[in-house]
Amino acid sequence: MPEPKTPWSLTLSEVGLRLEQLRERRGLTQGDVARHEVLRQRGIKIDTSGISRLERGQRRRVTRDLVTALLEVYRANKSESSEVLALLGADTTPAGRPRPALWRRNAHLLGPMQFEGFLLMERRAARLDNYEGELWPGLCQTEDYAYLVIARMRPELRHSEVKALVDVRMDRQQQVQAGALTDFRALVDERALRVVGDDPAVSRLQMERVLEDSEDPRNTIRILPETIGLHPGSAGSFVVMTFPEAARQVVWGETMVSSLYFDGAEDVQRYSATFTDLWERALDPNETRSRLKKRIKELEQ
């Protein structure tokens, strides 16, 4: 099954999910709703396709009149109606909001990876649980380290294209720092302590950056010892995102040619459980800092 399309607005996606649950509880099909007399009496026209797009979070505009009418159709109680309408009022993602100029200039690089959706959602997240294998998370990377990593992983790119993606990554760090984030948990395999690209200086400065980031009260960084061996996270890096305006989490993963978005309850639970299990088996924050300091000293020699 293909991964779902990234929703334009997480709050509107949440509204759609709540309405779908209420509709199914009443035992109504989307066709039943489109033909319902309440909508007709209120002069609201919507077909099954429109209801489907609403429930999947793919509409850029959802009017309060439509949602109020649907809540009546579904016989939602006062508490349920208040929660849905509060979510609708909290939406801050207006249709037509222009993309940042940096993204527009590099759309040809971000588009194939479907990475713009990730960037949009990341800066709205209150908590990020990020597992990485042998690389430090993008939110913790220095400019030199990011350049080295992207150049090695995307050998088909020209120097100017690699530099463009580095610029996006540096801007991304600033956007997240200024966003809703209150809790960033980074879990990294011990392999990240190795020298990347045969450049000890870049690797050492990168670890100094991670050590500095670990002092931020919003950040908790842990190293997963190699002695643990293969584990579910070995399949690839991922991020579990939690949002202040939504009742559910979403997961992002990345492959060589694309990024993947999941919001199904079963998928999210699997990734969350994997992260929690590995987090509890990792070195604690103090042990992680000690390991980083030891490795930095080794690279200074």
Side-chain angles (χ1 to χ4, degrees):
M1 179 182 296
E3 70 278 3
K5 182 180 180 181
T6 308
W8 172 257
S9 160
L10 193 66
T11 47
L12 293 186
S13 178
E14 186 73 15
V15 167
L17 176 65
R18 301 288 187 93
L19 291 174
E20 180 183 28
Q21 292 171 340
L22 290 170
R23 176 179 61 77
E24 292 179 342
R25 189 182 69 186
R26 287 274 289 116
L28 298 172
T29 67
Q30 293 174 343
D32 293 333
V33 176
R35 296 185 297 269
H36 202 280
E37 60 180 336
V38 169
L39 300 187
R40 187 170 62 253
Q41 291 170 356
R42 295 194 179 201
I44 295 174
K45 295 182 180 180
I46 187 170
D47 57 16
T48 55
S49 175
I51 293 172
S52 176
R53 288 189 294 110
L54 167 61
E55 293 181 349
R56 290 180 301 183
Q58 294 179 354
R59 289 175 64 119
R60 293 192 175 190
R61 287 293 192 195
V62 178
T63 67
R64 190 179 184 88
D65 287 345
L66 171 60
V67 173
T68 300
L70 291 175
L71 289 170
E72 182 177 341
V73 171
Y74 303 151
R75 299 180 185 174
N77 61 40
K78 185 176 181 180
S79 175
E80 292 167 338
S81 297
S82 296
E83 288 180 3
V84 172
L85 291 173
L87 281 168
L88 187 66
D91 184 50
T92 57
T93 313
R97 172 178 289 179
R99 295 177 297 173
L102 187 60
W103 298 6
R104 292 198 301 273
R105 290 197 301 271
N106 300 296
H108 64 294
L109 298 172
L110 298 174
M113 290 294 293
Q114 301 180 23
F115 208 59
E116 283 194 43
F118 174 82
L119 296 175
L120 280 169
M121 299 187 79
E122 183 184 51
R123 64 184 182 179
R124 300 207 306 268
R127 192 179 81 196
L128 298 170
D129 289 342
N130 186 183
Y131 165 75
E132 295 287 344
E134 55 190 276
L135 299 175
W136 296 104
L139 290 179
C140 300
Q141 291 181 5
T142 65
E143 190 169 345
D144 288 341
Y145 182 87
Y147 185 93
L148 190 155
V149 166
I150 294 172
R152 291 297 180 97
M153 295 183 70
R154 302 286 302 277
E156 78 280 7
L157 298 181
R158 299 188 300 272
H159 166 78
S160 59
E161 293 174 320
V162 174
K163 181 61 169 61
L165 288 178
V166 171
D167 290 343
V168 170
R169 186 162 296 183
M170 296 302 104
D171 178 72
R172 168 191 167 199
Q173 294 179 6
Q174 295 179 19
Q175 294 286 345
V176 172
Q177 284 291 322
L181 188 67
T182 59
D183 187 9
F184 175 54
R185 299 197 298 174
L187 178 63
V188 186
D189 280 353
E190 191 174 7
R191 290 174 295 165
L193 294 173
R194 299 173 182 172
V195 172
V196 175
D198 301 321
D199 195 328
V202 170
S203 296
R204 176 176 55 80
L205 291 173
Q206 173 58 50
M207 291 179 211
E208 289 179 353
R209 161 70 187 273
V210 173
L211 190 60
E212 179 181 348
D213 285 352
S214 72
E215 301 297 331
D216 187 321
R218 293 184 297 180
N219 300 335
T220 309
I221 300 171
R222 291 190 172 189
I223 291 174
L224 193 64
E226 286 188 288
T227 53
I228 290 178
L230 285 175
H231 53 75
S234 300
S237 62
F238 62 87
V239 182
V240 181
M241 299 181 173
T242 304
F243 302 86
E245 75 270 31
R248 71 190 191 285
Q249 298 170 307
V250 303
V251 175
W252 275 87
E254 190 171 343
T255 70
M256 186 181 297
V257 297
S258 183
S259 57
L260 306 175
Y261 162 81
F262 305 96
D263 63 4
E266 185 175 339
D267 291 327
V268 172
Q269 175 58 31
R270 183 174 182 178
Y271 278 96
S272 294
T274 294
F275 186 89
T276 298
D277 175 61
L278 296 177
W279 185 257
E280 293 174 351
R281 297 161 67 185
L283 302 178
D284 68 34
N286 289 331
E287 291 174 317
T288 294
R289 283 191 287 270
S290 295
R291 186 69 61 88
L292 279 167
K293 291 176 182 178
K294 178 182 178 181
R295 185 58 175 146
I296 289 169
K297 288 184 177 180
E298 292 173 349
L299 293 175
E300 287 175 340
Q301 299 175 358

